[in-house]
Amino acid sequence: MKKRKRMRILKNKNVLLGSGAGISIYKTAYLLRLLKKEKANVKVILSKNAVKLINPVLFSSLIKDEVFFDQFKPYQYKPDHINLSEWADIFIIAPCTADLISKFKNRIADDLLTTTFLSFKDKSKIILAPAMEENMWNNVKNYVTELKKEGINIIEPKKGELASGKIGTGRMEEPENILKEIENFFLKKLPLIGKTVLITSGATREYIDDVRFISNASSGKMGKELATLAENLGADVIFITGDSKVLPDIENIIKVKTCKELREKVLKNYKKADIIIGAAAVSDFTPVKKVKGKIKREKGEIIIKLKKTDDILEELGKRKGKRVLVGFSLEKGIDIKRAKEKMKKKNLDLIVVNPLSAMEKDKTDAAVIYKKRIIRLKNKTKREIAQHIFKIITFHCNTPLRGVYRRGE
Ligand SMILES: Cc1cc2nc3c(=O)[nH]c(=O)nc-3n(C[C@H](O)[C@H](O)[C@H](O)COP(=O)(O)O)c2cc1C
């Protein structure tokens, strides 16, 4: 059996990595490398004293980006502490000094790092990895207990050799273990972990001769957003695509040209999937005969006879078992009646109805129908529509997914 690739939980996650003026800041540089290897988006913020202990150039050259430490930089249209706190999916401070702990507890904001800390609305996004001499630790431990009660996550310091050479509690956790804690933080929030989502996308080609074909204007934007979101929610994604202007940044992409090829690849892969989303614009018709070579212009007028292609979704509807099956319906307007008929005929769990004008556009109106409900969406981006679809799948569908996503998370 093919070995599954290791899932990169931190890929595209916004990690704000902070550090105080503690001796274990040398480990922070390594932690930064580990985060980058996992393909996280990382920004570094140093306390005002950290930059006295280490030159920020070390971090900026590792990250190949600006390092933040100056609260009063000129030309800030929106202050950095606001930008950074809004940008971050997680704020990890390693090492967190005794001084920083005391300031956090007492709401002191006297540099960029402490001000950014105070700018976080959701304190559960913050992880502190304290590191200091044992006596210092004993003097700030109570503050740490208080910060924990506020929802802040703590990676407890370990017992071992300290900077002074003494043995005691105060060693910062090793970067590899801090990385695991950061991954665990995201794992808890991923409703599709362990699930496989198969998505079809783009336009198919139906060949008239060896060079000409019938196709459509599908851009593949919807499929791309669905695949990106599915992966961000923790799923393994199988992405089968025809012609497309855009592709998601995922590993498992299978390219096809015709409806026949798409059908073959879908039937080969659907058994691995828990959720199947048919977002491809599959041609409904294909030439009865494909001419070898190139039809000569001298022929003048020609008639191309077309026949219906196989309905892949309908076929899946018969075989789907407990899988969630999602289809799209593109019609002149938002035709709910026709969409409901399609839903029944193809045994779909959910159908997204969009008008012809949705083709190639970034924003569109749509309606999402599932069970007995209709959700009407006005002028939404394809990303927003993808979010609605996955929200419904994970919350409501009577499928094996039920219960994976807990309300309020
Ligand atoms: C070489 C050196 C190493 C230090 N290591 C630590 C440490 O590991 N933990 C700590 O809490 N303070 C340590 N300190 C003391 C802090 O740097 C000091 O309390 C400083 O005010 C902390 O500033 P900050 O928390 O704003 O970065 C160290 C100081 C020096 C000079």
Side-chain angles (χ1 to χ4, degrees):
M1 220 177 91
K2 208 174 143 194
K3 217 179 138 208
R4 265 194 168 181
K5 290 205 175 106
R6 201 177 80 80
M7 205 181 76
R8 292 203 187 276
I9 298 157
L10 300 183
K11 187 176 157 191
N12 294 332
K13 299 287 188 298
N14 293 344
V15 180
L16 181 58
L17 176 61
S19 179
I23 199 79
S24 32
I25 195 167
Y26 72 94
K27 292 186 186 173
T28 313
Y30 182 49
L31 177 59
L32 169 60
R33 296 268 298 166
L34 295 178
L35 288 164
K36 291 296 287 177
K37 255 191 176 165
E38 292 304 312
K39 298 196 182 303
N41 306 321
V42 191
K43 290 190 193 287
V44 174
I45 180 168
L46 301 175
S47 74
K48 65 176 176 195
N49 293 321
V51 294
K52 294 179 195 158
L53 200 61
I54 205 163
N55 194 317
V57 175
L58 175 81
F59 287 101
S60 61
S61 58
L62 284 175
I63 202 173
K64 302 198 172 28
D65 201 355
E66 177 185 7
V67 167
F68 296 88
F69 56 86
D70 185 359
Q71 170 94 83
F72 297 100
K73 244 176 16 195
Y75 311 120
Q76 293 186 69
Y77 301 107
K78 195 172 175 189
D80 282 341
H81 60 276
I82 305 290
N83 271 336
L84 292 169
S85 63
E86 285 175 1
W87 172 86
D89 295 321
I90 188 170
F91 186 15
I92 164 88
I93 301 158
C96 186
T97 56
D99 179 55
L100 285 179
I101 289 169
S102 312
K103 284 176 181 169
F104 294 157
K105 171 67 187 67
N106 293 299
R107 308 299 191 245
I108 292 167
D110 66 348
D111 71 352
L112 184 60
L113 193 150
T114 46
T115 311
T116 304
F117 175 91
L118 273 192
S119 305
F120 268 76
K121 187 172 176 207
D122 180 0
K123 291 274 193 289
S124 72
K125 284 185 178 177
I126 300 174
I127 303 185
L128 309 181
M132 61 206 72
E133 289 296 315
E134 191 168 51
N135 289 342
M136 292 174 92
W137 174 241
N138 286 335
N139 281 317
V140 294
K141 249 185 346 197
N142 287 349
Y143 280 174
V144 171
T145 310
E146 294 297 314
L147 290 168
K148 256 193 222 169
K149 283 185 197 153
E150 291 181 28
I152 292 165
N153 305 283
I154 309 291
I155 302 176
E156 298 285 335
K158 297 284 161 293
K159 194 171 177 177
E161 194 183 344
L162 304 173
S164 59
K166 289 181 191 163
I167 304 291
T169 301
R171 256 180 91 86
M172 189 173 86
E173 182 56 277
E174 294 308 317
E176 287 86 352
N177 293 336
I178 295 180
L179 184 80
K180 276 188 204 138
E181 293 288 340
I182 298 173
E183 284 181 335
N184 283 340
F185 168 90
F186 286 106
L187 270 176
K188 283 188 230 148
K189 294 179 186 279
L190 298 175
L192 295 184
I193 207 93
K195 302 285 171 194
T196 299
V197 182
L198 186 152
I199 297 167
T200 68
S201 181
T204 58
R205 297 177 176 188
E206 301 307 319
Y207 282 89
I208 299 164
D209 60 20
D210 281 347
V211 287
R212 302 182 181 99
F213 53 82
I214 301 169
S215 189
N216 59 66
S218 168
S219 62
K221 286 179 187 168
M222 190 69 235
K224 179 197 166 196
E225 293 301 342
L226 287 162
T228 307
L229 182 58
E231 194 180 72
N232 285 344
L233 292 172
D236 288 327
V237 180
I238 305 169
F239 190 73
I240 309 179
T241 181
D243 289 345
S244 183
K245 291 201 176 93
V246 286
L247 286 176
D249 176 21
I250 60 168
E251 275 168 15
N252 200 355
I253 296 183
I254 302 168
K255 290 192 178 166
V256 294
K257 294 241 183 285
T258 62
C259 169
K260 191 165 167 263
E261 272 180 68
L262 178 65
R263 178 179 172 271
E264 277 165 21
K265 298 291 181 201
V266 167
L267 294 185
K268 198 174 157 202
N269 285 285
Y270 85 95
K271 283 192 181 148
K272 297 176 214 160
D274 303 281
I275 300 161
I276 304 167
I277 306 180
V282 187
S283 179
D284 288 324
F285 298 99
T286 189
V288 173
K289 267 192 202 153
K290 186 190 143 198
V291 175
K292 274 210 162 115
K294 186 174 170 234
I295 300 169
K296 297 225 170 357
R297 187 178 160 79
E298 292 75 40
K299 272 195 168 256
E301 199 171 79
I302 58 162
I303 291 171
I304 303 164
K305 199 170 173 191
L306 302 174
K307 62 176 179 186
K308 267 209 293 193
T309 53
D310 292 321
D311 192 325
I312 304 170
L313 268 189
E314 195 173 329
E315 217 169 324
L316 286 172
K318 290 187 185 119
R319 306 179 181 205
K320 76 182 192 91
K322 286 185 171 166
R323 294 173 188 86
V324 178
L325 186 59
V326 177
F328 278 75
S329 174
L330 185 78
E331 298 289 343
K332 204 170 157 206
I334 306 263
D335 189 341
I336 301 288
K337 190 167 165 265
R338 194 165 149 73
K340 279 186 174 169
E341 283 162 11
K342 273 192 191 172
M343 204 172 166
K344 200 169 165 203
K345 189 167 169 239
K346 301 185 188 199
N347 195 18
L348 305 178
D349 297 283
L350 183 150
I351 192 163
V352 184
V353 198
N354 39 184
L356 297 183
S357 58
M359 278 270 188
E360 297 183 277
K361 297 269 168 53
D362 291 325
K363 282 186 168 185
T364 178
D365 293 346
V368 183
I369 309 176
Y370 65 99
K371 293 192 172 173
K372 293 214 157 95
R373 297 193 60 189
I374 302 172
I375 297 183
R376 289 181 188 271
L377 305 171
K378 277 252 160 267
N379 198 29
K380 296 284 180 215
T381 62
K382 292 190 173 170
R383 179 166 300 175
E384 288 168 323
I385 295 173
Q387 282 165 346
H388 273 278
I389 294 169
F390 277 110
K391 201 168 165 191
I392 294 164
I393 291 174
T394 49
F395 268 88
H396 298 286
C397 282
N398 189 14
T399 69
L401 284 172
R402 220 173 183 182
V404 176
Y405 194 97
R406 286 184 293 274
R407 268 170 204 278
E409 274 188 348

